[in-house]
Structure formats: C-alpha cells, structure tokens
Amino acid sequence: MLNGIKNVIRQQLHNRCYARYTRELTQQKNAYGQWILENERWKKHLGRSHDRSGKSEVLVKNMAELVPGFTVPEDNTVVLFVRNGGTMDALAPRAVESYFEECPYVQIAYADEDCVDEQGMRHTPWFKPQYSPDTLRSFAYYGNILAIRGSLMRALLRTWEEDTEKISTYAQEGKLPADVTCLSYSTGEQNLYFLLLLAMQLLGYIPANEPQKAVGVIDRVLYHRNVEQNLILADEYAAFSDSIYEDGAYPDLVWEDLEHTQESDTTKTNDDRATVSIIIPSKDQPDVLKTCVESVMKKTDHNDRITLELIVVDNGSTAHNRLLIEQLIRQYKGMYLYNPMDFNFSVMCNMGAARATGNFLLFLNDDMEVLQGDWLERMLSSAKLPHVGAVGAKLLYPDSDLIQHVGVTNLKVGPAHKLLKLHDKNVYYHGQNRHNYDMIGVTAACLLTETKKFLQIDGFSEKLAVAYNDVELCFALYDAGYYNVLRNDVILYHHESLSRGDDLMSQEKKERLLRERSKLYEMHPGMAGFDPFYSNNLAGSKHMYLCSYLYPYEQEDYYVEARPFGRPEPVEWENNCLNVQVEIAKLQEKMYQGEVPKAYHIEGWSYVLDMDNSNYTRTLLLVNDADGECYSAPVVNRYRKDVVRVLTGQQNTELAGFVCRIRRDNLPSGTYTIAMLVKDGTSKQYLYKKTDVKLEAEEI
C-alpha cells in the first residue's frame, strides 16, 4: 500500500518535471516562435486603434493581375500587391496604410514575410534590408508583398501603355534583347518586376544614407508563404535591367501627377574604357606575391576597354626579398614603392593611391589568387555606376568551397563576416552567397572603387593601422551617399590560413583589435550597431542569418551569482553515472559595445546515464583548489542537437547543454575545479561529479 502511494507521488512529480522539460524544449527548438510572441504585440494595438469607419485607401491586388489593361482608381492612395502561393496577414492592409501615412515621402514599400506549414506553424522568416538598388538588379528581393503609392503606379501604367510599342521597336532595332518584348505580355509577377526597375530609374539617385528614402521596408511580417517559392530573378532580364540604367536607353517616363520627386543622377560617360591601378601592400613574401601578381596579369581578360597599372607598396622587405620583388614587378612593367616603416595598411594603400594614374583603384592583398578571366570586368560594371562606392568579391579559402568573405555586416558586436567557413555549394538566406548584394562594407583584401570617390572621402584613415580600415572606408562612402556592393559572381581564392583567428591571436593583438574597433565607432558614432542592409529583426551576434530572439544565455546582461555553497564539497554524492563535459571555461572577452562587465563563461553538457534526464535540475559547483571552499551557481539549460546525436539510447538529453556566466567581480580570485551537482526531482537523490577542468579567476 505504502509503495503504491510512493509510486503515485513519484509519477506525479515526474509528470511535473517532464511538463517543465517539454515546455522549455519547445521554446528552445523554436526561436522564431518566441520572436513572434515578443515582436507581434503591434497587432493588438493596430487592431484597436485603427479607424475602421472610413473606406480603406489601400487597394489589394494579386501580382498575377498585373497585365495590360490593369488600372488603379484615382481614390486609392496605395496599391498592395501580393503573390500567389501564400497568405497575406489579415492586418497587412492596415499596417501598409499606417506606414504610408506616417512616411509621406515613401513611394514604394515592401514587408517581411515567413513560411507556414500545413499545421499552421510559422517558420523560416525572411527579414529584408532597407532599399538596395544593386540587390534589386540581381533579383526581386522585395519578395511576395510590395506596395506602391497610387500616384506613382498610375504614372507607371500610363508609361507602360504608351511605350509598349516603342519597347518593341527598340528590340527590333537590336537595342534590347528580342525576348524583352514579352515582358509586357508576360506573367504579372514579371511585369511588376519590370515596372519596379523602371520606377527605380524614374525615382533617380537615392543616397544610401538618406533617412527619408522614397523606398522603404516595413519591418513587420505581413505575408506567409505556403511553400518555398521561386523569386523573380534578374538573370534572364539582365541585359534589359542594365539597359534602363543607361542614359537615354528608355523613353522618358511620365511624372506629372507625382507629389514627391527627386533629382535623377543618370550621368554616364560614353567612354567605357577604364584604367585600373592595382595596389598591393606586401612585405617579405615574394613567392606569395608572385602567385597573386601572375594570376592577375595572366588570367584577367585583356581587351581595349581595360588597362592595368600594377603598384606594389613594400614597407621594408629584406634586401634579398626586395630584389626578388623588384624583378617580379619589372617583368610586368609595374611600379615598386619601397619605404621601410612600421606596418600601417592604410598608409601603404594611400601611398599607392597617391602615385596611381588610373581612374579606378583596386586594393588587393598579396595572398589573393584570381580564378576567372572576367572578374575585373564584372566588378567594374558595378564600380562605374554613379551611386556605387566600393565593390567587393566573394573570397574562398584555397582549393575549397569554404567561404572566407561574402561582405561585411555591422553587427551589434561589431563588423563581422557572415557565413564564415561555411560551404559555398549551399545557398544561404535568399542567396547571400549567390546574388549580388548591397552591403555596408566589403573587405579591402579585394576592393575596387572609383578614384574620384576615393579622393572625395580622403582615402583610408591612417588612424587605423591594422584592423577595420576597410570598414571605415566603406562607412565613409556610405556617409557620402554611396552604396557598397558585393559581387558574388566574382570569386577569388584568399590564401589566408584556415587556422588563423581569435584562438591564435595574442592578448596584445586582441587588445589592439578592441582599441581599433572603439576608434572606428568614435569616428562614426551613428554606425554603432547599425546596418541598413541587415534587418534589425536578425540576430546581432551570429554568423548565420537567424531571427533576433535571444535566449537568456545569449543576452549580454545575463549573469548569475556565485554564492558560498555553505558546506564542504559533497564528495559523498559522487557518482560515475553523472557525466559532465566542460567545453568552455574562461574569462569572456567583451563582445558588445558600451559598458558591459566582464564575466567568466562556463559552458558544456551533462547527463545521467540510463536515467530520464527530464527529472534532474543542475547546479554548477566551483571548488577552490587552495582551501577547498565551494561556490555554487545556477546554470541555464541549452538545446544541443549535436549531443543528442552522440547520446543514442539515452532518455531526454535534448537539453543536456548548460551555460553559466558569472561576473568577474562576483568570484574571489583563485584556481577553481569545475564540478556539477544534480538533484532528482522525483526523489531526494543527489549526484555529484568533479571534472578535470580548471577556471582561473583573476584578481580584480
């Protein structure tokens, strides 16, 4: 009888533990679901506050309906296009109407979207950047929902109708590809993309740093895709999209009834020729430099439109290496600037630029290797555009498809390379490694810019000798109104070691990196944590494109208190059934901008062999090696798919991961051995396991 009662009680306790476990596991497996709960409270506010008495001024249309004969009534101020294959959010018209009312300068806007499965579960969000003209020329990045102010739409429709015959004539005369004529009688989605490209030409130059752009993004999820849909890519219409950017290539557009106009900067030289000064800083690496120079000079397609000027800037090679470099540069009739001095990348690049005669400057690391003949012509096609500042290329680690660079993103933790060391054979986040993208920055390992734009911003800042000088250059170009472009269709090898990184960086170099990062944001205070080409709804500290929801252990202000345990080390509970693996135990470097206290970061995973792990709660113990005093600290559970794959046959180990972050000033100095104490929630049993991992706590 008594045993039966105990079993009932134990089962009830287990049910309670398991319910808590499954609830937490569900949350940790679906970060986007948590993001929705935190970020879609606006729906209740909009639903209550919006005036429903009058007629909505938003005309909702399916993109497929945009065919010849499409009209927009005069009383509709906004046309909202949505695409087949998904569902518009019920509040989308109100959200769009509210946005256009609050932003009278906006002519075109698009919104975020996601997918929804058969069970109604939302997933795979697509958070979009601010206006990105070069991304648009690469593909229809506005996606499946787009709103256009009625006045602009009516003007575009009149132009479309009036000039259809002229477009056909252009094609017949060979000024446009013959298949462009079918755009006017193609699918509605293609017609919308076509009209949007025309609208970009009509709206003219929109400075990158313009706070009140004519094109805006509504950072709310207003569309839900039922399936993964193919977007309208610009590849098949590339010749057409290029042609409408050329001066006079398309008939004048009607702009009579539009209230908000901007000056159009369509200046384009008829001289397509370019002299590119290739500036390579280098020292004591003649073999590496030879690979770089020969790949440039031998593999680059040569034609009468591009002239190359080679400039190598050397800050003090040995006499032997200097001789070898001189011979190499002489072979290709280049310029060799030898000036012994401390390494300063910015100074060296500026020295080369000062002696350059080209109208374009290409800054190139000496460990780069060209792979394709048309690489420079492709980069020039972007750099020549009046609105473009710096142009970068996709860089891979040598003899692999591992990504080293696909643009610089300005995260909350500072400038970073997204998708680092991932396989380029895969396509990530709507083609971030496939299409050409506007980015806040590109690396100067391979950076092309027009000389006059480089001089306009006074070149590289010589205050930044080693790090972030290329980012500062791109920030300065952005501040001047230019867009920086990453050409994913240009690929070079970067012979930078795969092992190079923070793990091999000395403390001195880490401190210099932090100093130069601080200096970067002192020079550009408005850029701290800001990137117009990276949605605020995306995570600010991860190399993948994930939603911005942070679990407690990911938050910069997450700390736990280490308290005296109040009793000797519990060796009597030591049990080998408890397995503990500590992967990280160190003082965490300052990640975020601002005053964030340093903390000891301890992370790993643990489980109890052949037991239901949902029953256990864990406490971290730190045992002082000198006096045996123990300190306890709570841990946060972490979902670990990798651990589940290893622990086959073990029960409920999805939350085996643990994280603990203790403020440095909360733990007395000394050497501590890390241990784990777990409690069974269905009984009074405790298990204890001491590891071999040490934590060195510093003097404060």
Side-chain angles (χ1 to χ4, degrees):
M1 179 69 177
L2 184 59
N3 287 336
I5 294 174
K6 286 183 177 179
N7 289 337
V8 170
I9 294 174
R10 176 167 288 190
Q11 185 62 46
Q12 290 176 341
L13 292 173
H14 167 72
N15 292 343
R16 187 181 304 168
C17 291
Y18 185 70
R20 171 189 54 79
Y21 179 88
T22 54
R23 183 168 57 249
E24 184 174 2
L25 178 60
T26 299
Q27 293 173 349
Q28 292 217 23
K29 290 176 74 172
N30 186 10
Y32 182 50
Q34 301 306 305
W35 182 92
I36 291 172
L37 293 175
E38 280 194 356
N39 291 273
E40 294 200 345
R41 297 167 186 161
W42 60 269
K43 290 187 174 181
K44 292 182 179 179
H45 172 74
L46 187 63
R48 289 194 304 265
S49 64
H50 199 276
D51 181 11
R52 305 179 189 177
S53 59
K55 177 185 175 183
S56 172
E57 296 182 336
V58 175
L59 176 65
V60 180
K61 288 289 185 179
N62 192 301
M63 291 183 184
E65 298 180 55
L66 186 56
V67 294
F70 183 90
T71 60
V72 177
E74 292 294 328
D75 59 347
N76 285 111
T77 59
V78 177
V79 185
L80 175 59
F81 290 100
V82 294
R83 194 176 178 203
N84 282 329
T87 305
M88 177 184 68
D89 192 275
L91 287 175
R94 295 181 191 170
V96 169
E97 184 174 3
S98 175
Y99 180 80
F100 275 82
E101 287 174 354
E102 294 172 3
C103 307
Y105 48 85
V106 168
Q107 298 293 328
I108 299 170
Y110 44 91
D112 295 334
E113 56 187 86
D114 61 16
C115 286
V116 60
D117 62 22
E118 294 178 355
Q119 288 73 41
M121 179 71 71
R122 291 168 56 187
H123 61 93
T124 319
W126 182 9
F127 298 124
K128 300 167 187 174
Q130 292 186 22
Y131 173 58
S132 305
D134 304 278
T135 308
L136 181 65
R137 294 180 69 183
S138 186
F139 80 115
Y141 79 91
Y142 52 82
N144 297 286
I145 182 167
L146 180 75
I148 303 177
R149 197 173 289 277
S151 52
L152 172 58
M153 191 65 205
R154 285 186 286 272
L156 290 171
L157 290 173
R158 286 199 300 274
T159 303
W160 187 23
E161 181 181 356
E162 293 169 2
D163 293 330
T164 296
E165 184 177 341
K166 294 180 182 178
I167 295 174
S168 299
T169 301
Y170 271 44
Q172 292 169 9
E173 293 175 353
K175 296 180 180 179
L176 294 176
D179 61 348
V180 167
T181 56
C182 70
L183 279 171
S184 296
Y185 304 96
S186 190
T187 67
E189 291 90 345
Q190 291 169 336
N191 289 334
L192 182 60
Y193 180 62
F194 162 73
L195 289 181
L196 195 58
L197 289 173
L198 294 182
M200 296 305 99
Q201 174 73 357
L202 188 148
L203 292 172
Y205 172 57
I206 303 175
N209 62 337
E210 171 60 55
Q212 296 186 344
K213 290 186 175 71
V215 182
V217 56
I218 306 172
D219 58 352
R220 292 173 174 173
V221 178
L222 301 182
Y223 184 89
H224 313 291
R225 303 191 302 278
N226 292 332
V227 293
E228 289 290 345
Q229 297 163 310
N230 292 324
L231 299 176
I232 308 302
L233 302 184
D235 296 345
E236 55 190 297
Y237 307 118
F240 173 71
S241 88
D242 286 343
S243 71
I244 67 170
Y245 280 82
E246 296 178 5
D247 189 24
Y250 190 74
D252 292 336
L253 299 173
V254 178
W255 189 247
E256 296 171 353
D257 62 346
L258 299 181
E259 300 175 2
H260 308 284
T261 62
Q262 300 188 40
E263 284 190 23
S264 175
D265 181 3
T266 57
T267 56
K268 182 179 175 70
T269 175
N270 291 323
D271 188 357
D272 234 6
R273 292 170 295 180
T275 298
V276 181
S277 298
I278 303 174
I279 300 167
I280 308 176
S282 187
K283 176 186 175 183
D284 281 328
Q285 296 198 98
D287 292 337
V288 172
L289 179 64
K290 182 179 180 181
T291 298
C292 174
V293 170
E294 289 188 346
S295 73
V296 170
M297 304 308 291
K298 293 181 179 180
K299 293 183 180 179
T300 304
D301 289 342
H302 293 278
N303 54 58
D304 58 1
R305 298 190 305 276
I306 302 176
T307 302
L308 302 183
E309 178 184 53
L310 178 63
I311 302 173
V312 173
V313 183
D314 188 333
N315 66 314
S317 290
T318 64
H320 174 69
N321 286 334
R322 179 181 179 181
L323 179 62
L324 293 176
I325 295 172
E326 283 179 332
Q327 291 173 347
L328 174 68
I329 303 308
R330 191 181 307 119
Q331 178 183 349
Y332 293 103
K333 300 179 182 180
M335 187 186 307
Y336 183 43
L337 305 179
Y338 183 82
N339 189 355
M341 61 181 178
D342 291 337
F343 178 78
N344 186 312
F345 181 84
S346 298
V347 169
M348 295 171 73
C349 287
N350 288 342
M351 285 177 58
R355 297 289 297 274
T357 63
N359 54 340
F360 289 89
L361 304 174
L362 176 71
F363 298 96
L364 201 64
N365 276 16
D366 62 1
D367 56 355
M368 303 301 300
E369 182 181 355
V370 171
L371 302 176
Q372 61 196 92
D374 63 350
W375 70 287
L376 191 53
E377 195 158 9
R378 287 176 181 268
M379 293 182 73
L380 276 168
S381 69
S382 290
K384 287 178 178 180
L385 296 173
H387 68 275
V388 172
V391 181
K394 179 194 294 184
L395 307 183
L396 302 180
Y397 287 101
D399 303 317
S400 77
D401 75 331
L402 294 179
I403 295 171
Q404 194 271 333
H405 169 265
V406 283
V408 174
T409 300
N410 191 32
L411 300 175
K412 188 176 182 181
V413 296
H417 291 255
K418 304 287 281 188
L419 309 181
L420 183 65
K421 297 182 181 179
L422 296 181
H423 288 281
D424 189 49
K425 65 181 180 182
N426 301 319
V427 180
Y428 303 99
Y429 204 70
H430 304 281
Q432 286 285 164
N433 62 322
R434 285 292 181 273
H435 307 309
N436 300 329
Y437 266 89
D438 290 289
M439 305 289 291
I440 194 60
V442 294
T443 178
C446 179
L447 185 154
L448 179 67
T449 187
E450 199 167 3
T451 303
K452 65 181 181 181
K453 297 168 186 173
F454 180 82
L455 297 176
Q456 179 185 342
I457 61 168
D458 298 324
F460 285 95
S461 171
E462 298 180 3
K463 297 177 182 178
L464 299 170
V466 180
Y468 301 122
N469 29 52
D470 47 5
V471 178
E472 194 284 325
L473 179 83
C474 291
F475 281 2
L477 287 166
Y478 171 81
D479 287 341
Y482 297 112
Y483 295 83
N484 302 310
V485 181
L486 186 279
R487 294 288 306 226
N488 271 308
D489 57 349
V490 174
I491 304 174
L492 290 84
Y493 278 153
H494 190 185
H495 288 264
E496 178 184 61
S497 172
L498 272 170
S499 63
R500 180 180 171 186
D502 291 344
D503 291 340
L504 300 180
M505 191 181 294
S506 68
Q507 188 60 34
E508 179 184 355
K509 290 182 178 180
K510 287 180 181 179
E511 291 175 357
R512 183 194 63 210
L513 187 70
L514 292 174
R515 285 196 304 271
E516 294 197 325
R517 186 179 70 178
S518 296
K519 193 173 295 182
L520 170 70
Y521 290 119
E522 287 173 7
M523 299 169 67
H524 300 274
M527 297 302 297
F530 170 72
D531 188 334
F533 308 108
Y534 186 78
S535 171
N536 289 330
N537 291 328
L538 288 168
S541 61
K542 299 179 181 179
H543 75 290
M544 291 291 287
Y545 288 82
L546 303 172
C547 72
S548 60
Y549 178 79
L550 297 178
Y551 292 105
Y553 58 82
E554 298 175 308
Q555 297 171 11
E556 60 181 299
D557 58 352
Y558 161 67
Y559 303 101
V560 297
E561 185 177 357
R563 297 181 177 180
F565 188 47
R567 54 156 294 170
E569 179 186 354
V571 292
E572 69 274 19
W573 293 330
E574 194 150 11
N575 193 313
N576 287 330
C577 288
L578 174 58
N579 292 270
V580 183
Q581 298 290 327
V582 179
E583 299 165 318
I584 301 173
K586 64 179 182 179
L587 183 66
Q588 188 175 44
E589 297 293 334
K590 182 179 177 182
M591 292 178 57
Y592 296 91
Q593 305 299 315
E595 297 300 322
V596 180
K598 287 188 176 182
Y600 297 109
H601 183 86
I602 304 170
E603 185 170 350
W605 51 275
S606 70
Y607 71 102
V608 181
L609 183 66
D610 295 332
M611 299 296 289
D612 188 337
N613 284 270
S614 68
N615 290 333
Y616 294 95
T617 56
R618 299 174 289 188
T619 302
L620 195 74
L621 290 189
L622 300 172
V623 184
N624 192 302
D625 288 359
D627 57 17
E629 186 173 359
C630 296
Y631 289 83
S632 66
V635 300
V636 174
N637 297 331
R638 182 171 185 176
Y639 174 50
R640 293 286 298 265
K641 289 188 293 186
D642 57 332
V643 173
V644 174
R645 288 194 293 267
V646 173
L647 300 180
T648 56
Q650 299 301 313
Q651 192 172 0
N652 292 323
T653 56
E654 292 92 343
L655 296 178
F658 64 83
V659 180
C660 179
R661 201 152 71 227
I662 303 169
R663 282 178 57 139
R664 184 175 63 163
D665 56 9
N666 183 229
L667 188 65
S669 62
T671 300
Y672 293 86
T673 299
I674 298 174
M676 181 72 73
L677 179 67
V678 303
K679 179 184 178 182
D680 186 345
T682 67
S683 69
K684 296 181 180 180
Q685 182 188 33
Y686 284 89
L687 302 177
Y688 175 72
K689 185 64 176 288
K690 198 172 186 177
T691 73
D692 296 328
V693 181
K694 307 290 185 181
L695 175 69
E696 298 292 339
E698 301 177 347
E699 290 279 359
I700 299 174

